[in-house]
Amino acid sequence: VKPAEDTPLTALAIAELGRRAGVPEGVLSIIPAPRAEAAAVGELLCTHKEVAKVSFTGSTPVGVQLQKWCAEGMKRVSL
């Protein structure tokens, strides 16, 4: 999960709750990033061979870019 730059603590708290509930390590990863690095992190997630699917909630322009990156590797996408 790459949370929104303005609200990373929510995702980190959910990960902690999962850990306490017994979710195995490595099942849920939180990748917070500052706004200046958000595009680079998004591109890395969309093009990484071990990422099978990308799900995104946000603006249309960002969704279009993520779809382009995912299309290069025939990655499943939910926008």
Side-chain angles (χ1 to χ4, degrees):
V1 175
K2 193 263 178 234
E5 299 84 15
D6 298 330
T7 58
L9 296 181
T10 302
L12 292 170
I14 290 171
E16 174 60 19
L17 290 173
R19 185 191 67 76
R20 291 181 188 182
V23 174
E25 188 172 327
V27 170
L28 176 61
S29 299
I30 309 300
I31 307 168
R35 191 170 310 280
E37 297 175 15
V41 172
E43 182 178 10
L44 180 63
L45 290 172
C46 289
T47 58
H48 197 283
K49 292 180 183 189
E50 292 188 26
V51 175
K53 180 177 180 175
V54 173
S55 179
F56 173 74
T57 302
S59 71
T60 299
V62 172
V64 168
Q65 182 59 62
L66 295 176
Q67 178 68 54
K68 287 178 183 177
W69 286 327
C70 288
E72 293 174 11
M74 299 296 292
K75 194 174 303 291
R76 293 176 296 164
V77 180
S78 295
L79 300 173

Short mmCIF file of all heavy atoms in Angstrom, two decimals:
data_model
loop_
_atom_site.label_atom_id
_atom_site.label_comp_id
_atom_site.label_asym_id
_atom_site.label_seq_id
_atom_site.Cartn_x
_atom_site.Cartn_y
_atom_site.Cartn_z
N VAL A 1 0.86 -1.17 0.00
CA VAL A 1 0.00 0.00 0.00
C VAL A 1 0.90 1.23 0.00
O VAL A 1 1.81 1.35 0.81
CB VAL A 1 -0.92 0.02 1.24
CG1 VAL A 1 -1.72 1.28 1.29
CG2 VAL A 1 -1.81 -1.20 1.27
N LYS A 2 0.64 2.13 -0.95
CA LYS A 2 1.33 3.41 -0.98
C LYS A 2 0.27 4.45 -0.62
O LYS A 2 -0.54 4.83 -1.44
CB LYS A 2 1.93 3.67 -2.37
CG LYS A 2 2.92 4.82 -2.38
CD LYS A 2 2.13 5.98 -2.83
CE LYS A 2 2.79 7.29 -2.92
NZ LYS A 2 2.03 8.28 -2.16
N PRO A 3 0.24 4.86 0.66
CA PRO A 3 -0.82 5.78 1.10
C PRO A 3 -0.63 7.18 0.54
O PRO A 3 0.47 7.56 0.10
CB PRO A 3 -0.68 5.78 2.62
CG PRO A 3 0.75 5.43 2.87
CD PRO A 3 1.15 4.52 1.75
N ALA A 4 -1.70 7.95 0.59
CA ALA A 4 -1.62 9.36 0.20
C ALA A 4 -0.58 10.06 1.06
O ALA A 4 -0.41 9.74 2.24
CB ALA A 4 -2.99 10.02 0.36
N GLU A 5 0.10 11.00 0.46
CA GLU A 5 1.18 11.69 1.16
C GLU A 5 0.69 12.42 2.41
O GLU A 5 1.43 12.59 3.37
CB GLU A 5 1.86 12.70 0.23
CG GLU A 5 2.50 12.09 -1.00
CD GLU A 5 1.50 11.89 -2.13
OE1 GLU A 5 0.39 12.45 -2.10
OE2 GLU A 5 1.84 11.14 -3.06
N ASP A 6 -0.56 12.87 2.38
CA ASP A 6 -1.10 13.65 3.50
C ASP A 6 -1.59 12.78 4.65
O ASP A 6 -1.81 13.30 5.75
CB ASP A 6 -2.25 14.54 3.02
CG ASP A 6 -1.79 15.56 1.98
OD1 ASP A 6 -0.61 15.98 2.04
OD2 ASP A 6 -2.60 15.93 1.12
N THR A 7 -1.79 11.48 4.42
CA THR A 7 -2.38 10.64 5.45
C THR A 7 -1.68 9.29 5.60
O THR A 7 -2.34 8.24 5.64
CB THR A 7 -3.88 10.39 5.15
OG1 THR A 7 -3.97 9.79 3.86
CG2 THR A 7 -4.68 11.67 5.21
N PRO A 8 -0.37 9.25 5.73
CA PRO A 8 0.31 7.95 5.82
C PRO A 8 0.07 7.22 7.14
O PRO A 8 0.15 6.00 7.20
CB PRO A 8 1.78 8.31 5.66
CG PRO A 8 1.88 9.70 6.20
CD PRO A 8 0.57 10.35 5.78
N LEU A 9 -0.24 7.95 8.19
CA LEU A 9 -0.38 7.31 9.49
C LEU A 9 -1.58 6.38 9.55
O LEU A 9 -1.56 5.38 10.28
CB LEU A 9 -0.45 8.36 10.61
CG LEU A 9 0.82 9.21 10.76
CD1 LEU A 9 0.65 10.20 11.91
CD2 LEU A 9 2.04 8.34 10.98
N THR A 10 -2.62 6.65 8.78
CA THR A 10 -3.78 5.77 8.75
C THR A 10 -3.38 4.38 8.25
O THR A 10 -3.72 3.36 8.86
CB THR A 10 -4.89 6.36 7.86
OG1 THR A 10 -5.24 7.65 8.35
CG2 THR A 10 -6.10 5.47 7.83
N ALA A 11 -2.66 4.33 7.15
CA ALA A 11 -2.22 3.04 6.59
C ALA A 11 -1.26 2.34 7.54
O ALA A 11 -1.32 1.12 7.70
CB ALA A 11 -1.58 3.25 5.23
N LEU A 12 -0.38 3.10 8.16
CA LEU A 12 0.56 2.48 9.11
C LEU A 12 -0.18 1.91 10.31
O LEU A 12 0.18 0.84 10.82
CB LEU A 12 1.61 3.51 9.55
CG LEU A 12 2.57 3.94 8.44
CD1 LEU A 12 3.40 5.14 8.90
CD2 LEU A 12 3.46 2.79 8.02
N ALA A 13 -1.22 2.58 10.76
CA ALA A 13 -2.02 2.09 11.88
C ALA A 13 -2.76 0.80 11.49
O ALA A 13 -2.85 -0.14 12.28
CB ALA A 13 -3.01 3.15 12.35
N ILE A 14 -3.29 0.76 10.27
CA ILE A 14 -3.97 -0.45 9.79
C ILE A 14 -2.98 -1.62 9.73
O ILE A 14 -3.32 -2.75 10.11
CB ILE A 14 -4.63 -0.20 8.43
CG1 ILE A 14 -5.83 0.74 8.62
CG2 ILE A 14 -5.06 -1.51 7.77
CD1 ILE A 14 -6.44 1.24 7.35
N ALA A 15 -1.77 -1.36 9.27
CA ALA A 15 -0.75 -2.41 9.23
C ALA A 15 -0.43 -2.91 10.63
O ALA A 15 -0.26 -4.11 10.84
CB ALA A 15 0.51 -1.89 8.55
N GLU A 16 -0.36 -2.01 11.59
CA GLU A 16 -0.10 -2.42 12.97
C GLU A 16 -1.24 -3.27 13.51
O GLU A 16 -1.01 -4.27 14.19
CB GLU A 16 0.12 -1.18 13.85
CG GLU A 16 0.27 -1.48 15.33
CD GLU A 16 1.43 -2.40 15.68
OE1 GLU A 16 2.38 -2.56 14.88
OE2 GLU A 16 1.41 -2.98 16.79
N LEU A 17 -2.47 -2.89 13.21
CA LEU A 17 -3.61 -3.70 13.64
C LEU A 17 -3.55 -5.09 13.00
O LEU A 17 -3.85 -6.10 13.66
CB LEU A 17 -4.92 -3.00 13.29
CG LEU A 17 -5.23 -1.74 14.09
CD1 LEU A 17 -6.48 -1.07 13.53
CD2 LEU A 17 -5.43 -2.07 15.56
N GLY A 18 -3.17 -5.15 11.74
CA GLY A 18 -3.02 -6.43 11.08
C GLY A 18 -1.96 -7.29 11.73
O GLY A 18 -2.14 -8.49 11.94
N ARG A 19 -0.84 -6.66 12.06
CA ARG A 19 0.25 -7.38 12.74
C ARG A 19 -0.25 -7.96 14.05
O ARG A 19 -0.02 -9.13 14.37
CB ARG A 19 1.43 -6.45 12.98
CG ARG A 19 2.65 -7.17 13.57
CD ARG A 19 3.71 -6.18 14.05
NE ARG A 19 3.27 -5.40 15.20
CZ ARG A 19 3.20 -5.85 16.47
NH1 ARG A 19 3.53 -7.11 16.73
NH2 ARG A 19 2.81 -5.07 17.45
N ARG A 20 -0.96 -7.14 14.83
CA ARG A 20 -1.50 -7.60 16.12
C ARG A 20 -2.51 -8.73 15.95
O ARG A 20 -2.66 -9.57 16.83
CB ARG A 20 -2.15 -6.44 16.86
CG ARG A 20 -1.17 -5.41 17.35
CD ARG A 20 -1.89 -4.31 18.10
NE ARG A 20 -1.00 -3.21 18.41
CZ ARG A 20 -1.37 -2.13 19.10
NH1 ARG A 20 -2.61 -2.02 19.55
NH2 ARG A 20 -0.51 -1.18 19.33
N ALA A 21 -3.23 -8.71 14.82
CA ALA A 21 -4.24 -9.73 14.55
C ALA A 21 -3.64 -11.02 13.98
O ALA A 21 -4.36 -11.99 13.79
CB ALA A 21 -5.29 -9.18 13.59
N GLY A 22 -2.35 -10.98 13.69
CA GLY A 22 -1.69 -12.19 13.22
C GLY A 22 -1.47 -12.28 11.72
O GLY A 22 -1.14 -13.35 11.21
N VAL A 23 -1.65 -11.18 11.00
CA VAL A 23 -1.36 -11.20 9.56
C VAL A 23 0.13 -11.48 9.39
O VAL A 23 0.96 -10.78 10.00
CB VAL A 23 -1.74 -9.85 8.90
CG1 VAL A 23 -1.30 -9.82 7.45
CG2 VAL A 23 -3.23 -9.61 9.01
N PRO A 24 0.50 -12.49 8.61
CA PRO A 24 1.92 -12.84 8.46
C PRO A 24 2.74 -11.69 7.87
O PRO A 24 2.26 -10.93 7.03
CB PRO A 24 1.89 -14.02 7.48
CG PRO A 24 0.51 -14.57 7.58
CD PRO A 24 -0.37 -13.40 7.87
N GLU A 25 3.97 -11.61 8.32
CA GLU A 25 4.88 -10.58 7.82
C GLU A 25 5.05 -10.72 6.32
O GLU A 25 5.17 -11.82 5.80
CB GLU A 25 6.24 -10.70 8.52
CG GLU A 25 7.17 -9.57 8.21
CD GLU A 25 8.44 -9.61 9.05
OE1 GLU A 25 8.37 -10.06 10.20
OE2 GLU A 25 9.47 -9.18 8.53
N GLY A 26 5.03 -9.61 5.61
CA GLY A 26 5.20 -9.61 4.17
C GLY A 26 3.90 -9.64 3.38
O GLY A 26 3.90 -9.41 2.19
N VAL A 27 2.78 -9.94 4.05
CA VAL A 27 1.50 -9.96 3.36
C VAL A 27 1.02 -8.56 3.06
O VAL A 27 0.45 -8.29 2.01
CB VAL A 27 0.45 -10.74 4.20
CG1 VAL A 27 -0.95 -10.58 3.61
CG2 VAL A 27 0.83 -12.20 4.30
N LEU A 28 1.26 -7.65 3.97
CA LEU A 28 0.85 -6.25 3.81
C LEU A 28 2.06 -5.36 4.01
O LEU A 28 2.69 -5.38 5.06
CB LEU A 28 -0.24 -5.89 4.83
CG LEU A 28 -0.70 -4.43 4.84
CD1 LEU A 28 -1.31 -4.04 3.50
CD2 LEU A 28 -1.69 -4.21 5.97
N SER A 29 2.38 -4.60 2.99
CA SER A 29 3.51 -3.67 3.07
C SER A 29 2.99 -2.25 2.87
O SER A 29 2.21 -2.00 1.94
CB SER A 29 4.55 -3.98 1.99
OG SER A 29 5.08 -5.26 2.17
N ILE A 30 3.43 -1.35 3.72
CA ILE A 30 3.07 0.05 3.61
C ILE A 30 4.31 0.80 3.12
O ILE A 30 5.38 0.67 3.70
CB ILE A 30 2.60 0.63 4.97
CG1 ILE A 30 1.51 -0.26 5.59
CG2 ILE A 30 2.13 2.07 4.82
CD1 ILE A 30 0.26 -0.41 4.77
N ILE A 31 4.13 1.60 2.07
CA ILE A 31 5.26 2.32 1.48
C ILE A 31 4.94 3.81 1.46
O ILE A 31 4.48 4.35 0.45
CB ILE A 31 5.53 1.81 0.05
CG1 ILE A 31 5.69 0.30 0.05
CG2 ILE A 31 6.76 2.50 -0.53
CD1 ILE A 31 5.69 -0.31 -1.32
N PRO A 32 5.13 4.50 2.60
CA PRO A 32 4.90 5.95 2.59
C PRO A 32 6.01 6.66 1.82
O PRO A 32 7.15 6.19 1.80
CB PRO A 32 4.92 6.33 4.07
CG PRO A 32 5.62 5.23 4.76
CD PRO A 32 5.53 4.00 3.89
N ALA A 33 5.66 7.74 1.16
CA ALA A 33 6.65 8.50 0.39
C ALA A 33 6.26 9.97 0.39
O ALA A 33 5.07 10.29 0.34
CB ALA A 33 6.73 7.98 -1.03
N PRO A 34 7.24 10.86 0.44
CA PRO A 34 6.92 12.29 0.33
C PRO A 34 6.39 12.61 -1.07
O PRO A 34 6.63 11.87 -2.03
CB PRO A 34 8.26 12.98 0.59
CG PRO A 34 9.30 11.95 0.32
CD PRO A 34 8.67 10.62 0.58
N ARG A 35 5.65 13.67 -1.17
CA ARG A 35 5.02 14.07 -2.43
C ARG A 35 6.03 14.13 -3.58
O ARG A 35 5.74 13.72 -4.70
CB ARG A 35 4.33 15.43 -2.26
CG ARG A 35 3.43 15.80 -3.42
CD ARG A 35 2.59 17.03 -3.13
NE ARG A 35 1.87 16.98 -1.87
CZ ARG A 35 0.73 16.30 -1.66
NH1 ARG A 35 0.19 15.63 -2.64
NH2 ARG A 35 0.15 16.32 -0.49
N ALA A 36 7.23 14.60 -3.31
CA ALA A 36 8.24 14.74 -4.36
C ALA A 36 8.67 13.39 -4.94
O ALA A 36 9.18 13.33 -6.05
CB ALA A 36 9.46 15.49 -3.82
N GLU A 37 8.47 12.31 -4.19
CA GLU A 37 8.88 10.98 -4.65
C GLU A 37 7.70 10.08 -5.00
O GLU A 37 7.89 8.92 -5.38
CB GLU A 37 9.73 10.32 -3.57
CG GLU A 37 11.03 11.07 -3.30
CD GLU A 37 11.81 10.48 -2.13
OE1 GLU A 37 11.51 9.34 -1.72
OE2 GLU A 37 12.70 11.16 -1.64
N ALA A 38 6.48 10.59 -4.89
CA ALA A 38 5.29 9.77 -5.09
C ALA A 38 5.24 9.17 -6.50
O ALA A 38 4.91 7.99 -6.67
CB ALA A 38 4.03 10.57 -4.81
N ALA A 39 5.54 9.95 -7.51
CA ALA A 39 5.48 9.44 -8.89
C ALA A 39 6.51 8.34 -9.10
O ALA A 39 6.20 7.32 -9.75
CB ALA A 39 5.70 10.58 -9.89
N ALA A 40 7.69 8.49 -8.57
CA ALA A 40 8.73 7.46 -8.73
C ALA A 40 8.32 6.17 -8.03
O ALA A 40 8.53 5.07 -8.57
CB ALA A 40 10.05 7.96 -8.17
N VAL A 41 7.71 6.28 -6.86
CA VAL A 41 7.23 5.09 -6.15
C VAL A 41 6.10 4.43 -6.93
O VAL A 41 6.06 3.21 -7.09
CB VAL A 41 6.80 5.44 -4.71
CG1 VAL A 41 6.12 4.26 -4.04
CG2 VAL A 41 7.99 5.90 -3.90
N GLY A 42 5.17 5.24 -7.45
CA GLY A 42 4.08 4.70 -8.25
C GLY A 42 4.59 3.96 -9.48
O GLY A 42 4.11 2.87 -9.80
N GLU A 43 5.55 4.55 -10.16
CA GLU A 43 6.11 3.90 -11.34
C GLU A 43 6.79 2.58 -10.96
O GLU A 43 6.63 1.56 -11.66
CB GLU A 43 7.11 4.81 -12.05
CG GLU A 43 7.69 4.19 -13.30
CD GLU A 43 8.64 5.12 -14.04
OE1 GLU A 43 9.01 6.18 -13.52
OE2 GLU A 43 9.00 4.75 -15.17
N LEU A 44 7.53 2.58 -9.87
CA LEU A 44 8.21 1.36 -9.43
C LEU A 44 7.20 0.26 -9.12
O LEU A 44 7.36 -0.89 -9.55
CB LEU A 44 9.07 1.64 -8.20
CG LEU A 44 9.82 0.44 -7.64
CD1 LEU A 44 10.83 -0.08 -8.65
CD2 LEU A 44 10.52 0.82 -6.35
N LEU A 45 6.12 0.60 -8.43
CA LEU A 45 5.10 -0.40 -8.11
C LEU A 45 4.42 -0.92 -9.38
O LEU A 45 4.14 -2.12 -9.49
CB LEU A 45 4.06 0.18 -7.16
CG LEU A 45 4.54 0.44 -5.73
CD1 LEU A 45 3.48 1.21 -4.95
CD2 LEU A 45 4.88 -0.86 -5.03
N CYS A 46 4.16 -0.04 -10.32
CA CYS A 46 3.46 -0.43 -11.56
C CYS A 46 4.33 -1.25 -12.50
O CYS A 46 3.81 -2.01 -13.31
CB CYS A 46 2.97 0.80 -12.30
SG CYS A 46 1.60 1.63 -11.49
N THR A 47 5.63 -1.11 -12.40
CA THR A 47 6.52 -1.80 -13.34
C THR A 47 7.27 -2.97 -12.70
O THR A 47 7.93 -3.73 -13.42
CB THR A 47 7.53 -0.82 -13.95
OG1 THR A 47 8.29 -0.20 -12.91
CG2 THR A 47 6.82 0.25 -14.77
N HIS A 48 7.17 -3.14 -11.39
CA HIS A 48 7.89 -4.22 -10.70
C HIS A 48 7.28 -5.57 -11.08
O HIS A 48 6.06 -5.74 -11.05
CB HIS A 48 7.84 -4.02 -9.19
CG HIS A 48 8.85 -4.83 -8.47
ND1 HIS A 48 8.71 -6.18 -8.26
CD2 HIS A 48 10.03 -4.48 -7.93
CE1 HIS A 48 9.76 -6.63 -7.60
NE2 HIS A 48 10.59 -5.61 -7.40
N LYS A 49 8.10 -6.54 -11.41
CA LYS A 49 7.64 -7.84 -11.88
C LYS A 49 6.92 -8.65 -10.80
O LYS A 49 6.12 -9.52 -11.12
CB LYS A 49 8.81 -8.63 -12.44
CG LYS A 49 9.35 -8.04 -13.71
CD LYS A 49 10.50 -8.82 -14.27
CE LYS A 49 10.99 -8.09 -15.52
NZ LYS A 49 11.95 -8.85 -16.26
N GLU A 50 7.19 -8.38 -9.54
CA GLU A 50 6.55 -9.15 -8.46
C GLU A 50 5.23 -8.56 -8.00
O GLU A 50 4.55 -9.15 -7.17
CB GLU A 50 7.51 -9.32 -7.30
CG GLU A 50 8.69 -10.21 -7.65
CD GLU A 50 9.55 -10.54 -6.46
OE1 GLU A 50 9.05 -10.52 -5.32
OE2 GLU A 50 10.74 -10.81 -6.67
N VAL A 51 4.86 -7.40 -8.51
CA VAL A 51 3.56 -6.80 -8.20
C VAL A 51 2.58 -7.29 -9.26
O VAL A 51 2.76 -7.04 -10.45
CB VAL A 51 3.63 -5.26 -8.19
CG1 VAL A 51 2.26 -4.65 -8.00
CG2 VAL A 51 4.59 -4.78 -7.10
N ALA A 52 1.53 -8.00 -8.81
CA ALA A 52 0.59 -8.62 -9.76
C ALA A 52 -0.57 -7.71 -10.13
O ALA A 52 -1.13 -7.82 -11.21
CB ALA A 52 0.04 -9.91 -9.18
N LYS A 53 -0.94 -6.80 -9.23
CA LYS A 53 -2.10 -5.95 -9.49
C LYS A 53 -1.90 -4.61 -8.78
O LYS A 53 -1.34 -4.54 -7.70
CB LYS A 53 -3.38 -6.60 -8.98
CG LYS A 53 -4.60 -5.73 -9.24
CD LYS A 53 -5.88 -6.40 -8.81
CE LYS A 53 -7.03 -5.46 -9.11
NZ LYS A 53 -8.31 -6.05 -8.84
N VAL A 54 -2.42 -3.56 -9.40
CA VAL A 54 -2.39 -2.22 -8.82
C VAL A 54 -3.83 -1.73 -8.71
O VAL A 54 -4.60 -1.83 -9.66
CB VAL A 54 -1.56 -1.24 -9.69
CG1 VAL A 54 -1.68 0.17 -9.18
CG2 VAL A 54 -0.11 -1.69 -9.74
N SER A 55 -4.18 -1.23 -7.54
CA SER A 55 -5.49 -0.62 -7.31
C SER A 55 -5.25 0.82 -6.90
O SER A 55 -4.38 1.10 -6.10
CB SER A 55 -6.23 -1.39 -6.22
OG SER A 55 -7.48 -0.81 -5.98
N PHE A 56 -6.05 1.74 -7.46
CA PHE A 56 -5.81 3.16 -7.22
C PHE A 56 -7.13 3.90 -7.04
O PHE A 56 -8.09 3.68 -7.78
CB PHE A 56 -5.04 3.77 -8.40
CG PHE A 56 -4.88 5.26 -8.33
CD1 PHE A 56 -3.99 5.83 -7.43
CD2 PHE A 56 -5.61 6.10 -9.14
CE1 PHE A 56 -3.85 7.21 -7.35
CE2 PHE A 56 -5.48 7.48 -9.07
CZ PHE A 56 -4.59 8.03 -8.17
N THR A 57 -7.16 4.76 -6.05
CA THR A 57 -8.25 5.69 -5.85
C THR A 57 -7.64 7.08 -5.83
O THR A 57 -6.76 7.35 -5.01
CB THR A 57 -8.98 5.43 -4.52
OG1 THR A 57 -9.46 4.10 -4.52
CG2 THR A 57 -10.12 6.40 -4.33
N GLY A 58 -8.06 7.95 -6.74
CA GLY A 58 -7.49 9.29 -6.78
C GLY A 58 -7.89 10.00 -8.06
O GLY A 58 -8.91 9.70 -8.67
N SER A 59 -7.03 10.91 -8.48
CA SER A 59 -7.35 11.76 -9.62
C SER A 59 -7.25 11.00 -10.95
O SER A 59 -6.50 10.04 -11.09
CB SER A 59 -6.41 12.96 -9.66
OG SER A 59 -5.11 12.56 -10.03
N THR A 60 -8.00 11.48 -11.93
CA THR A 60 -7.98 10.88 -13.27
C THR A 60 -6.60 10.98 -13.92
O THR A 60 -6.12 9.98 -14.47
CB THR A 60 -9.06 11.52 -14.15
OG1 THR A 60 -10.33 11.27 -13.55
CG2 THR A 60 -9.03 10.95 -15.57
N PRO A 61 -5.92 12.13 -13.88
CA PRO A 61 -4.60 12.20 -14.53
C PRO A 61 -3.60 11.19 -13.94
O PRO A 61 -2.85 10.58 -14.69
CB PRO A 61 -4.15 13.64 -14.28
CG PRO A 61 -5.41 14.41 -14.08
CD PRO A 61 -6.35 13.46 -13.40
N VAL A 62 -3.62 11.01 -12.64
CA VAL A 62 -2.70 10.04 -12.03
C VAL A 62 -3.11 8.63 -12.42
O VAL A 62 -2.27 7.79 -12.75
CB VAL A 62 -2.66 10.20 -10.49
CG1 VAL A 62 -1.85 9.07 -9.85
CG2 VAL A 62 -2.06 11.55 -10.12
N GLY A 63 -4.40 8.34 -12.43
CA GLY A 63 -4.89 7.03 -12.84
C GLY A 63 -4.49 6.69 -14.27
O GLY A 63 -4.10 5.56 -14.56
N VAL A 64 -4.56 7.66 -15.16
CA VAL A 64 -4.16 7.45 -16.55
C VAL A 64 -2.68 7.09 -16.61
O VAL A 64 -2.28 6.16 -17.33
CB VAL A 64 -4.46 8.70 -17.40
CG1 VAL A 64 -3.79 8.62 -18.76
CG2 VAL A 64 -5.96 8.88 -17.55
N GLN A 65 -1.85 7.79 -15.86
CA GLN A 65 -0.41 7.50 -15.87
C GLN A 65 -0.13 6.11 -15.31
O GLN A 65 0.67 5.35 -15.87
CB GLN A 65 0.37 8.55 -15.07
CG GLN A 65 1.87 8.33 -15.09
CD GLN A 65 2.46 8.33 -16.48
OE1 GLN A 65 2.38 9.33 -17.18
NE2 GLN A 65 3.03 7.23 -16.91
N LEU A 66 -0.79 5.75 -14.20
CA LEU A 66 -0.58 4.43 -13.62
C LEU A 66 -1.00 3.34 -14.60
O LEU A 66 -0.33 2.32 -14.75
CB LEU A 66 -1.37 4.30 -12.32
CG LEU A 66 -0.93 5.20 -11.17
CD1 LEU A 66 -1.85 5.03 -9.97
CD2 LEU A 66 0.51 4.94 -10.77
N GLN A 67 -2.12 3.56 -15.30
CA GLN A 67 -2.59 2.59 -16.29
C GLN A 67 -1.56 2.40 -17.40
O GLN A 67 -1.31 1.28 -17.84
CB GLN A 67 -3.92 3.07 -16.90
CG GLN A 67 -4.47 2.16 -17.97
CD GLN A 67 -4.93 0.83 -17.43
OE1 GLN A 67 -5.73 0.78 -16.51
NE2 GLN A 67 -4.42 -0.26 -17.98
N LYS A 68 -0.94 3.48 -17.84
CA LYS A 68 0.09 3.38 -18.89
C LYS A 68 1.27 2.54 -18.41
O LYS A 68 1.76 1.68 -19.14
CB LYS A 68 0.57 4.77 -19.30
CG LYS A 68 -0.43 5.54 -20.12
CD LYS A 68 0.08 6.93 -20.45
CE LYS A 68 -0.95 7.73 -21.21
NZ LYS A 68 -0.49 9.10 -21.48
N TRP A 69 1.74 2.81 -17.19
CA TRP A 69 2.87 2.04 -16.65
C TRP A 69 2.49 0.57 -16.51
O TRP A 69 3.28 -0.31 -16.83
CB TRP A 69 3.32 2.60 -15.31
CG TRP A 69 4.07 3.89 -15.39
CD1 TRP A 69 4.91 4.30 -16.38
CD2 TRP A 69 4.07 4.93 -14.42
NE1 TRP A 69 5.43 5.54 -16.07
CE2 TRP A 69 4.94 5.94 -14.87
CE3 TRP A 69 3.43 5.12 -13.20
CZ2 TRP A 69 5.18 7.11 -14.17
CZ3 TRP A 69 3.67 6.28 -12.49
CH2 TRP A 69 4.54 7.27 -12.97
N CYS A 70 1.30 0.30 -16.03
CA CYS A 70 0.87 -1.09 -15.83
C CYS A 70 0.67 -1.82 -17.16
O CYS A 70 0.93 -3.02 -17.25
CB CYS A 70 -0.42 -1.13 -15.01
SG CYS A 70 -0.17 -0.71 -13.27
N ALA A 71 0.23 -1.10 -18.17
CA ALA A 71 -0.02 -1.72 -19.48
C ALA A 71 1.26 -2.29 -20.08
O ALA A 71 1.22 -3.32 -20.78
CB ALA A 71 -0.64 -0.71 -20.43
N GLU A 72 2.38 -1.67 -19.81
CA GLU A 72 3.65 -2.14 -20.37
C GLU A 72 3.96 -3.57 -19.95
O GLU A 72 4.56 -4.32 -20.69
CB GLU A 72 4.78 -1.21 -19.95
CG GLU A 72 4.68 0.18 -20.56
CD GLU A 72 5.71 1.14 -20.03
OE1 GLU A 72 6.66 0.70 -19.35
OE2 GLU A 72 5.58 2.34 -20.30
N GLY A 73 3.54 -3.94 -18.74
CA GLY A 73 3.79 -5.30 -18.25
C GLY A 73 2.55 -6.15 -18.18
O GLY A 73 2.55 -7.20 -17.54
N MET A 74 1.45 -5.69 -18.81
CA MET A 74 0.18 -6.42 -18.81
C MET A 74 -0.30 -6.69 -17.38
O MET A 74 -0.83 -7.74 -17.06
CB MET A 74 0.30 -7.73 -19.59
CG MET A 74 0.66 -7.53 -21.05
SD MET A 74 -0.63 -6.66 -21.97
CE MET A 74 -1.91 -7.86 -21.97
N LYS A 75 -0.11 -5.72 -16.51
CA LYS A 75 -0.49 -5.84 -15.10
C LYS A 75 -1.96 -5.50 -14.92
O LYS A 75 -2.48 -4.59 -15.57
CB LYS A 75 0.38 -4.90 -14.28
CG LYS A 75 0.34 -5.14 -12.79
CD LYS A 75 1.33 -4.27 -12.06
CE LYS A 75 2.74 -4.41 -12.50
NZ LYS A 75 3.43 -5.63 -12.22
N ARG A 76 -2.65 -6.24 -14.05
CA ARG A 76 -4.04 -5.93 -13.76
C ARG A 76 -4.13 -4.62 -12.99
O ARG A 76 -3.28 -4.33 -12.14
CB ARG A 76 -4.67 -7.06 -12.94
CG ARG A 76 -4.80 -8.36 -13.72
CD ARG A 76 -5.31 -9.46 -12.88
NE ARG A 76 -4.32 -9.72 -11.83
CZ ARG A 76 -4.55 -10.41 -10.73
NH1 ARG A 76 -5.72 -10.91 -10.50
NH2 ARG A 76 -3.59 -10.59 -9.84
N VAL A 77 -5.19 -3.85 -13.28
CA VAL A 77 -5.35 -2.54 -12.66
C VAL A 77 -6.82 -2.34 -12.29
O VAL A 77 -7.71 -2.68 -13.07
CB VAL A 77 -4.93 -1.40 -13.62
CG1 VAL A 77 -5.09 -0.04 -12.96
CG2 VAL A 77 -3.51 -1.59 -14.08
N SER A 78 -7.06 -1.78 -11.12
CA SER A 78 -8.40 -1.33 -10.72
C SER A 78 -8.30 0.15 -10.42
O SER A 78 -7.51 0.55 -9.57
CB SER A 78 -8.88 -2.08 -9.47
OG SER A 78 -9.05 -3.45 -9.75
N LEU A 79 -9.09 0.94 -11.13
CA LEU A 79 -9.07 2.38 -10.92
C LEU A 79 -10.40 2.83 -10.36
O LEU A 79 -11.42 2.27 -10.62
CB LEU A 79 -8.80 3.12 -12.24
CG LEU A 79 -7.47 2.78 -12.91
CD1 LEU A 79 -7.40 3.43 -14.28
CD2 LEU A 79 -6.31 3.22 -12.06
#
